[in-house]
Amino acid sequence: MLEKINQLMEGLKELHAQNAEELEALRIKYLGRKGALNDLMAEFRNVPGEQKREMGIRLNQLKNALQERFNELKQAVVSDDGNQDDLDLTRTPYPVSLGTRHPLTIVQNQILDIFGRLGFSIAEGPEVEDDLHVFTRLNFAADHPARDMQDTFFVNSDENDVTRNVILRTHTSSVQVRAMENAELPLRVVCPGRVYRNEAISARAHCFFHQIEGLYIDKDVSFADLKQVLLTFAREMFGPETKIRLRPSYFPFTEPSAEMDISCNICGGKGCSFCKHTGWVEILGCGMVDPNVLEANDIDSKVYKGYAFGLGVERITNLKYRVNDLRLFSENDLRFLDEFKAAY
Ligand code: PHE
């Protein structure tokens, strides 16, 4: 047995493999289940007691040496496969496919850019908010239905005092409140961000979406200023032919309040299925900041006035890119996202 071991040891250097198949054949022959090493292991059982120690040591040395040689050969075969001679450094690389910006990010940036040019700065705030910033300081009565479970996601609700509730913000008006808290007047901000409402998910509604809300507070702010800013926005966003129309509406935090429609940019106002054959599509809510809101935020409503508006980024994106199912925005389907490769 010792002789066999010595023979194998000496023969080690003679082992060669040109490729993966030859290497595998060697492995089977020497290290495999029925290979030379295992044969010796089987023989080892019959070695008489007094020789066991020496033979065991020798056998172990063989095992390690075989394994080491095998690893050496494997290394050589592997680096041979990436044959240096085949390496062509001048070849053009495989096309690397670039990612795209999310359509909502693209449109949000466009909107922020337009308002940026009109002098608005950007303010951001937390998505998990307290009732104070989402409702109370915006003139929502304690029993206003928007505070209800049906609309609002609650993180923590305090049955005895609704103003202590912790919720997911239902609009980014909460950021406007935060902006007013720290305000040096005049104040001119736009507040982008994700908002949450407890809606069943469908093509037309989702439990979260994105808003951009704007707020301007100064000494002589009028409804005409608001109208002009919104008209400029609509034309920058949807083209110079775009018309706007304001319809009276109601929000707790603005008085008077309005909803703004633009002439349908898909049919140009002639009437189509998108605008339900009216020629108009609603894109935002707006109004003059209710004096109660100014006072609730320690701003003297006899000196200062303001306007506010809020729009949904998904809605604008649908109009711009004709996306007809809100769910597409959050499903991460690359076939959808790749369509925006050409946008920026
Ligand atoms: N906060 C309102 C909403 O979520 C939008 C709005 C903002 C309306 C500002 C008027 C003024 O629907």
Side-chain angles (χ1 to χ4, degrees):
M1 181 171 172
L2 198 56
E3 207 171 300
K4 274 192 209 156
I5 295 180
N6 288 341
Q7 252 177 24
L8 280 170
M9 276 294 224
E10 274 155 33
L12 272 180
K13 285 273 166 280
E14 257 45 75
L15 301 181
H16 291 291
Q18 300 293 337
N19 51 40
E21 289 92 74
E22 286 183 26
L23 185 71
E24 179 61 6
L26 281 184
R27 192 189 64 78
I28 292 171
K29 184 164 173 202
Y30 292 97
L31 295 165
R33 209 157 46 82
K34 293 184 179 160
L37 187 66
N38 258 357
D39 284 352
L40 286 169
M41 291 289 187
E43 247 179 80
F44 179 67
R45 269 181 234 123
N46 305 327
V47 169
E50 68 274 16
Q51 290 177 28
K52 260 211 151 80
R53 194 182 126 78
E54 202 206 325
M55 200 68 88
I57 292 174
R58 213 43 203 142
L59 196 54
N60 242 338
Q61 283 171 344
L62 175 68
K63 182 177 154 198
N64 292 339
L66 263 172
Q67 191 63 55
E68 206 173 300
R69 180 67 186 151
F70 180 78
N71 289 345
E72 264 172 39
L73 293 174
K74 188 169 166 184
Q75 278 290 319
V77 167
V78 169
S79 58
D80 249 23
D81 271 1
N83 199 335
Q84 297 289 314
D85 298 339
D86 295 343
L87 196 62
D88 178 2
L89 291 176
T90 63
R91 208 197 63 201
T92 44
Y94 292 112
V96 178
S97 112
L98 290 178
T100 54
R101 278 192 212 283
H102 192 280
L104 293 176
T105 309
I106 295 170
V107 171
Q108 175 179 295
N109 288 348
Q110 288 172 356
I111 298 170
L112 292 176
D113 188 51
I114 294 168
F115 285 111
R117 279 183 271 128
L118 291 168
F120 287 81
S121 47
I122 296 173
E124 287 182 302
E127 293 182 10
V128 179
E129 261 291 7
D130 51 21
D131 177 278
L132 198 68
H133 290 88
V134 180
F135 297 128
T136 303
R137 293 241 194 107
L138 287 162
N139 201 32
F140 281 80
D143 57 356
H144 193 284
R147 276 195 160 102
D148 203 312
M149 292 274 190
Q150 254 79 59
D151 285 296
T152 308
F153 285 115
F154 285 73
V155 176
N156 237 326
S157 77
D158 189 323
E159 279 161 29
N160 302 319
D161 182 0
V162 288
T163 63
R164 289 164 63 101
N165 288 343
V166 179
I167 57 181
L168 298 184
R169 66 183 179 194
T170 56
H171 53 186
T172 58
S173 305
S174 55
V175 186
Q176 302 182 337
V177 174
R178 289 187 178 274
M180 282 188 267
E181 273 172 1
N182 312 312
E184 276 184 35
L185 299 173
L187 174 67
R188 191 164 13 199
V189 287
V190 271
C191 313
R194 183 175 291 174
V195 301
Y196 301 83
R197 289 184 199 174
N198 193 0
E199 304 248 10
I201 297 172
S202 72
R204 305 197 133 250
H206 211 293
C207 58
F208 63 78
F209 59 98
H210 300 78
Q211 283 191 325
I212 295 181
E213 298 215 354
L215 173 70
Y216 177 41
I217 299 176
D218 205 343
K219 287 195 173 131
D220 290 304
V221 183
S222 71
F223 202 94
D225 297 332
L226 170 63
K227 218 173 139 182
Q228 187 56 43
V229 159
L230 294 180
L231 178 65
T232 306
F233 163 70
R235 293 194 167 157
E236 290 278 319
M237 197 72 206
F238 296 104
E241 307 301 322
T242 312
K243 298 189 193 62
I244 63 168
R245 99 181 164 181
L246 291 158
R247 286 177 288 104
S249 184
Y250 173 78
F251 299 103
F253 35 89
T254 46
E255 183 59 35
S257 306
E259 274 167 323
M260 185 176 97
D261 302 338
I262 58 163
S263 49
C264 178
N265 78 320
I266 291 177
C267 62
K270 284 193 217 71
C272 66
S273 60
F274 194 88
C275 59
K276 300 199 189 83
H277 302 280
T278 61
W280 297 94
V281 280
E282 183 200 321
I283 63 162
L284 57 81
C286 61
M288 300 304 291
V289 180
D290 192 306
N292 286 344
V293 172
L294 295 176
E295 294 297 337
N297 291 289
D298 283 337
I299 295 173
D300 187 346
S301 64
K302 296 204 180 57
V303 182
Y304 287 97
K305 282 186 176 19
Y307 65 65
F309 56 87
L311 55 81
V313 181
E314 277 81 350
R315 179 115 187 105
I316 308 286
T317 311
N318 290 352
L319 273 169
K320 241 190 124 126
Y321 294 109
R322 299 175 199 195
V323 181
N324 53 17
D325 189 332
L326 272 180
R327 290 168 292 196
L328 286 167
F329 290 125
S330 48
E331 278 170 354
N332 283 338
D333 186 335
L334 287 179
R335 290 168 302 180
F336 171 67
L337 298 176
D338 277 351
E339 290 186 38
F340 296 89
K341 273 201 166 140
Y344 61 93

